[in-house]
Amino acid sequence: MSGVRLPRSTVLRHALFFLPLAVGLIAMTYLFSAFYNYNIAGIAIFAIAAAGLTVLTGVNGQLSLGHGALMAVGAYTTSLLLKAQPQFPFLLTLLAAIVSTGLAGGIIGVAAARLRGPYLAGATLALAVGLPQLAIHFGRVLGGNQGLIVAPPAAPAALGGNFPPEQWLAWIAIVSAMVTLFLLANLVRGATGRTLRAVHDNETAARLAGIDVARVQVLAFVISAACAGLAGSLFAYWVGITAPTGFGLQLSLQLLSAIVIGGLGSLWGAVWGSIILVLLPVWTSGLASNLNLSSDITNNLPLAMYGAILVVAMLVFPRGIQGTVASLVGAGRRLLLKRRLDQRTSEVHP
Amino acid sequence: MNVRIPNSRRWVKAACLGVVGALVAACGSSSSTGSTSNQASAPGITATSVTIGSTQPLTGPAAPGYSEIAPGSLAYFKYVNAHGGVFGRSINYKFLDDGYNPTNTASLTRQLVLQDSVYAVFDSLGTPTHLAVVDYLNQEKVPDLFVASGCNCWNNVSAHPNTFGWQPDYTIEGKILGNYIKQTYAGMKVGYFAQGPNDEFGDDGIAGLKDVLQNSNVTVVSPAQYYAPTPAGAMGVKAEMAAMQAAGVQVIASFSIPLFTAAALASAASINYHPHFVVSNVGADIPTLTAILTGGALGATLPAALLTGMTSDNYLPLSSDSSNPWTTLFKSIATQYAPNLPWDGNVVYGEAVAYTFVQSLKAAGQNPTRADIVNAINNSHFTDGPGLVPFGYSSSNHLGYTGVQMVTVGPGPTPMRVGSAYTTNDAAGGAITPYSGTASTPPSSGIPSD
């Protein structure tokens, strides 16, 4: 007997998984303080961007060091719409960011499809460094160094006047992350996912199999950028300001380290990585402020701790957190199966 | 049995209450400030402590120099705590590193407010960083005291009643620098060198300069020369200096951060160009500039003598002025409570802003609510502090210091004050008036009196 039979349709199976998960997570926000709800929103936002990057880098094999810049495109789209019209409908600001960043991703993807390995890394790196400078150059419109202020989304009146804004933000981010992960999970499982992986594994073989490699690579960039755009838009609401200093090279590298630590190529890995990315600095900040050390050491200790933990995590989990979780689950399953088999054999041969 | 257990519990409870009562009474009688006892009157305030928080660039591009400000404040608070605190409460100052990244500021400020329940946010540093949280802090009605940035955006009483600036804003600085140029360099050609374009530091400063220098007795050469505040940019201001030289500029008015002030001085000298430099206070701390020039931060070891003749402005006692009693006080406190810090204008800044906070906390009363400290600052002028000019605080103005005094370097490496201090306001055409008030001396205890 194999117990519960899951539906054969992937979409249905994923829906059965993500719907209760979203409801559960939203219910969970009632248990947490406003501060942790704020961080849950952050985790969900980073998970959206990281999941998009997973599709591009983990599944399709194109390295992007410029995803922070794509998030900036989404954040600036939303911030500019709100600057022009503060009452702009919330959902439309998200949609506009997805479309504009998807377009930007398409343009970058066309260039990227001609580049391989270190050249692609270099081009996307240039994007991460250069794009935020545009905000300073076109400061009259884009707010310059000072940035554009974004008001947090207001909770609907039905929830009551005192509903914590942090919790409402967490709900929005959780729902957005669940929808994104649901769509990406279906995509990766389906025919598109297979072509993405085929191109990653062996371009020549994929070409022989009739796959238009360049088209697939551009498609991967568009999908990934659309996710970064959504994340960037939510990020603008989450931070409260869209300024070039918020979209430095560091952000791009953080996203990359999140998917590596979480487990390259797995959507779950993107989630684990985002949890670490958001919570680790919370725990290490202020760690050294009460030690009586030279300020050069005190100031850099939290950053050093953060780096050290990332290094240790990569050493302990070479396949990422999800890789380790998966192998533990696999080992457990095998153990269970073996026991069941042993039981059966003992029943057959008393 | 069943009856006696609750009885004995009641007895224990009564005894506990008695002990606590005696302790409270003892605390009350030992405190010199009145008959009422200390209460937990607001978030972050207990009977024995006040917790305040801040976000600071301890790492990252803005760290050099500015990372010393919060440790300077901490040293002053430790001194106050060692001498009885404020109303018997010790000040617990928690500052977190945002690396000058507004994303971190947003998250860390929520950590301070929601997790650490600070009474107030104090001296958080930076314009783009603090703009990310100024709406949030005012929504939560958290006092947002003495933002460490000269943006005039902190002075918006109707939208941000809980936010207060502290240092003079860049427009005020620009106007007084312009006034000095007009008086000293009549008939000469003046050029602007600033951070930007489209940067509130450079733009506000130039706005102040323009207000005074346009249609005056000097010729302003356009266009202004700008630099981008990136690490690589410091190597590239030679072209800007050459353009100034070609235009015949004799006086350079500069709104630059220290690294770029040093780069401008060095680049000009390297092309044998020797204009008069008039530099905003933000980029003119002599110990910081000396360290940049002689420490090889510009790719070569350069002589500190490049600074000779540079003019700047200040609103606090100079760190090098050992005849000033405030400098003596702050230096001795820094030596005792922060022995690892270098001694320069950033530490003076940190201690001075901490002094203003202690003044505010005292003015807010023994058991203050959050609104009490905001009202106290609105209604006080704190004229007996270390500042060279008065504060502008009132219920309709949340600007800090209202003016500056000019300072020039040399002969020799020490800065000297020039003329009297001046005060003015942001308004175009607003009068620039010499400040005639006498400098205050610090109380003998080193702590503001009640």
Side-chain angles (χ1 to χ4, degrees), chain B residues 105-438:
Chain B
T105 316
S107 164
L108 293 171
T109 301
R110 280 166 178 86
Q111 184 175 339
L112 291 170
V113 171
L114 300 171
Q115 195 85 331
D116 304 326
S117 316
V118 295
Y119 173 60
V121 164
F122 164 73
D123 196 43
S124 281
L125 195 147
T127 304
T129 46
H130 199 68
L131 274 175
V133 294
V134 66
D135 283 329
Y136 169 73
L137 289 173
N138 281 279
Q139 243 153 39
E140 299 289 315
K141 299 195 168 54
V142 179
D144 177 22
L145 309 181
F146 316 138
V147 184
S149 141
C151 183
N152 53 17
C153 43
W154 315 125
N155 181 21
N156 184 352
V157 181
S158 56
H160 302 138
N162 291 305
T163 297
F164 291 86
W166 188 74
Q167 66 196 62
D169 73 42
Y170 304 131
T171 307
I172 286 182
E173 247 194 298
K175 282 172 75 174
I176 298 175
L177 291 184
N179 187 53
Y180 172 83
I181 291 171
K182 205 166 70 174
Q183 289 174 352
T184 320
Y185 303 116
M188 291 196 186
K189 281 188 171 176
V190 180
Y192 301 148
F193 176 65
Q195 181 163 305
N198 305 319
D199 182 288
E200 126 285 335
F201 169 43
D203 288 354
D204 289 4
I206 288 183
L209 286 164
K210 271 187 180 161
D211 185 48
V212 175
L213 293 181
Q214 241 158 11
N215 308 319
S216 75
N217 58 356
V218 297
T219 315
V220 179
V221 173
S222 64
Q225 297 294 324
Y226 291 104
Y227 72 87
T230 58
M235 305 298 160
V237 300
K238 214 172 248 181
E240 284 78 1
M241 289 302 120
M244 296 274 204
Q245 187 181 32
V249 169
Q250 295 156 291
V251 181
I252 295 183
S254 176
F255 274 80
S256 47
I257 59 174
L259 188 61
F260 290 87
T261 308
L265 291 166
S267 303
S270 74
I271 53 174
N272 202 23
Y273 172 42
H274 302 284
H276 301 285
F277 275 94
V278 180
V279 185
S280 152
N281 168 272
V282 174
D285 181 53
I286 304 302
T288 307
L289 288 175
T290 307
I292 290 171
L293 288 171
T294 58
L298 296 172
T301 309
L302 298 161
L306 284 173
L307 296 170
T308 306
M310 183 185 83
T311 309
S312 177
D313 63 271
N314 216 330
Y315 48 94
L316 292 174
L318 291 166
S319 62
S320 55
D321 184 0
S322 52
S323 67
N324 186 309
W326 289 100
T327 305
T328 321
L329 170 73
F330 287 156
K331 192 172 181 180
S332 76
I333 290 172
T335 312
Q336 189 179 353
Y337 293 96
N340 293 321
L341 274 184
W343 175 246
D344 61 23
N346 298 300
V347 183
V348 173
Y349 184 113
E351 291 199 59
V353 71
Y355 190 92
T356 312
F357 176 74
V358 173
Q359 285 181 306
S360 317
L361 193 60
K362 287 210 158 178
Q366 185 178 358
N367 287 309
T369 61
R370 278 174 163 170
D372 285 340
I373 197 164
V374 170
N375 292 334
I377 302 168
N378 278 337
N379 298 321
S380 310
H381 299 291
F382 305 132
T383 44
D384 47 355
L388 308 176
V389 289
F391 286 115
Y393 299 135
S394 73
S395 53
S396 61
N397 187 350
H398 284 186
L399 214 62
Y401 285 118
T402 49
V404 291
Q405 184 174 23
M406 300 305 296
V407 174
T408 191
V409 184
T414 33
M416 308 288 284
R417 301 203 171 282
V418 187
S420 75
Y422 286 86
T423 58
T424 185
N425 54 26
D426 270 352
I432 301 167
T433 43
Y435 177 65
S436 53
T438 46

Side-chain angles (χ1 to χ4, degrees), chain A residues 33-36 38-39 46 133 135-140 143-147 149-152 165-166 235 237-241 243 245-248 250 254 281-282 285-287 289-290 292-295 298-300 302-303, chain B residues 58-59 67-68 71 74 78 92-97 100-104 106-108 110-112 114-115 127-129 131-136 139-140 151 153 195-200 203 228-230 337 339-342:
Chain A
S33 67
F35 176 61
Y36 271 91
Y38 182 77
N39 283 309
F46 276 109
Q133 294 304 317
I136 294 171
H137 194 79
F138 299 107
R140 296 262 173 269
N145 237 334
Q146 189 170 322
I149 291 180
V150 179
E166 291 84 6
F235 187 80
Y237 286 108
W238 185 62
V239 175
I241 197 163
T245 35
F247 297 93
Q250 197 192 0
Q254 276 179 328
V282 172
S285 77
L287 201 70
S289 54
N290 288 320
N292 203 7
L293 297 168
S294 145
S295 60
T298 319
N299 296 345
N300 289 295
L303 271 183
Chain B
L58 303 179
T59 60
S67 66
E68 299 158 19
L74 183 64
K78 281 183 177 169
N92 177 12
Y93 180 34
K94 183 168 186 180
F95 53 92
L96 303 173
D97 177 23
Y100 209 64
N101 178 341
T103 312
N104 299 341
S107 164
L108 293 171
R110 280 166 178 86
Q111 184 175 339
L112 291 170
L114 300 171
Q115 195 85 331
T127 304
T129 46
L131 274 175
V133 294
V134 66
D135 283 329
Y136 169 73
Q139 243 153 39
E140 299 289 315
C151 183
C153 43
Q195 181 163 305
N198 305 319
D199 182 288
E200 126 285 335
D203 288 354
T230 58
Y337 293 96
N340 293 321
L341 274 184

